Every structure is written in C-alpha cells, then in structure tokens.
Amino acid sequence: MRYALVMPAAGRGTRFAGELPKQYARLAGRSVIEWSLQPFLADPRCVVAVVAVASHDERWPVLTPNLHSRSAGARLVTVLGGEQRCHSVHNAIAQLSQHGLGDDDWVLVHDAARPCVSGEEIDQLLALLASHPLGGLLALRVTDTIKRDDGHGGVAETVPRGPLWRALTPQMFRLGVLRDALDAAFAAATLPTDEAQAVELWTQAGRGRPQLLEGSPDNLKITSRRDLALAEAILQRRLARGAA
Ligand code: CTP
Ligand code: MG
C-alpha cells in the first residue's frame, strides 16, 4: 500500500499569537512541523509529501534540507498555500498526478499543527480504510455535556452528545474523491473546514459516507500556548520511553 501526504502549513496562527506562526514554535527540541511530518517521512509507504506553505514563509526553506535526510522514501515537495486551509489542501493535491498518483490512490491530509500524531494512528487508518470506497478520518467522541447558547450567553438547550465526534487529522481519502469533492465545494461557494466536510457534501448524492475512526486524545492541535505545553509533555514522555 502506498499513499501521499498533504500537509497544510500556510496558516498564520492568529490564536497562538506567537512571534512565528505556531508550526515553527520550538517543541521538545524541534519545531512543531518537524514533529508533525516525522512519522510520515519515516514511513516507506508515503511516496510523496506535499507541504503547503505561505508565500512569505522564511523558515520552511531553512528546514527543508534537514527533512529530506530524514525521509525513508517520500519525496518532499513544497507548494504555495491559499487563503483558507481548504485552498492550501487543494493546491497541494493538484501536484499529486505529477508524482504518479492515480484517482484511486490514497491521500492523507495532516495538519502541520498536530505534532503528536503517532505511527500507530497512521497504521490504524491505513489498515481499517484500505478497502473503503471513499476514505475517512480520525476523530474523538465528545465527552463533555454540550450546550447551545441563545446568542446572549444564556443556555438555549443541551445537545445530545451521543452521536457527536471531534474531527482530527490525518484524514484519508482517495485522490479522485478528494479532488472532486473540493471542486464541488468551491463551485457551491462553500469553504469546508476539513476534507471530510467536502466529501460529506459531495456524497449527499448517495455515494456513501466518510468513515469515523477513533483516534487518540494525545493527537491534539496546537491552537494556543497552553496546547504547546501539553504537546511538550506528551512528546517528552514518548522520548523517555524511546518511542518518539
Ligand atoms: N492552514 C493552511 N492554510 C491556511 C490556513 C491554515 O495551510 N490558509 C493550516 C495551518 O497552518 C494548520 C492547519 O491548516 O496547520 C490548521 O489550521 P489552524 O489550526 O486554524 O491554524 P492557523 O490558521 O494557522 O491558526 P489560526 O486559525 O489561529 O490563525
Ligand atoms: Mg485557522
């Protein structure tokens, strides 16, 4: 089995409010994006890794040569990101046919801001979705009681949490499915916030559904400074066990 990695890394990290975009924050001796890429670059099944970066990104060219030497097979390719995450992903998947990928081949999309993804999660996705017609995503069941507000800070209602999940990455879809779904979303003037949303909209025409797979709570997204401290603790624990 082989796949392409697409990594959207063109965000500004507004909520993180650091000196640098959060993907370049220091984390357990490396930058966040190095951790996010590492399990894919070490995986011989990953044939190409396309990273979407912002046009004025000065850090990425400094890191790239270093990353090439850690790759077990994947060729590292850089593309320009777009206005929103979905545009960055769209620009990246447009490169994949040049790298020998066909419509039925798999694309894993993973946020640059998720440095604690594990090799086990990637193995689980690839194993459980291998024969799926569309693909799916890692997600976490919602555990808190969920309230909907009335627009003024009052509680309008409690939302049953039974069927609710939080979407994580990697999200894994067949190249043709992801491309057609993103094209259809843009044609309908919709900007999906993850790949599954694009595929959900596209499959309303009765083409099946993306599959939810339970991921790890450790696979957090760095949004604020506090998340960086949590990620540091997770990675230091893995380093101490010799598992990072
Ligand atoms: N991303 C991207 N292109 C954009 C916006 C986001 O490639 N135009 C990437 C980010 O770099 C990140 C991932 O999408 O790896 C998830 O986005 P998010 O967590 O929202 O990161 P930012 O947009 O950078 O943060 P913020 O929303 O706080 O500005
Ligand atoms: Mg954002």
Side-chain angles (χ1 to χ4, degrees), residues 51-155:
V51 182
V53 299
S55 56
H56 298 299
D57 189 326
E58 290 165 5
R59 301 278 153 163
W60 178 245
V62 178
L63 281 178
T64 322
N66 202 3
L67 291 170
H68 272 292
S69 67
R70 286 193 223 138
S71 170
R75 271 195 289 165
L76 198 56
V77 177
T78 307
V79 295
L80 266 190
E83 188 61 35
Q84 301 286 332
R85 182 182 180 284
C86 55
H87 300 121
S88 298
V89 169
H90 191 251
N91 291 354
I93 64 171
Q95 300 293 313
L96 293 178
S97 59
Q98 286 174 37
H99 293 275
L101 278 103
D103 278 5
D104 284 338
D105 282 324
W106 292 106
V107 182
L108 270 64
V109 181
H110 184 59
D111 290 329
R114 288 190 191 270
C116 301
V117 59
S118 66
E120 292 76 36
E121 281 176 299
I122 298 167
D123 289 347
Q124 185 200 0
L125 262 178
L126 292 170
L128 296 178
L129 294 177
S131 55
H132 199 281
L134 304 168
L137 67 151
L138 291 178
L140 281 177
R141 285 187 182 279
V142 168
T143 53
D144 295 313
T145 297
I146 301 295
K147 307 293 185 191
R148 190 191 310 279
D149 73 30
D150 61 3
H152 309 284
V155 176

Side-chain angles (χ1 to χ4, degrees), residues 8-16 22-23 52 82-85 88 111-113 221-223:
R12 280 194 287 261
T14 325
R15 289 167 289 179
F16 187 74
K22 62 190 178 184
Q23 56 271 31
E83 188 61 35
Q84 301 286 332
R85 182 182 180 284
S88 298
D111 290 329
K221 189 172 76 166
I222 309 282
T223 302

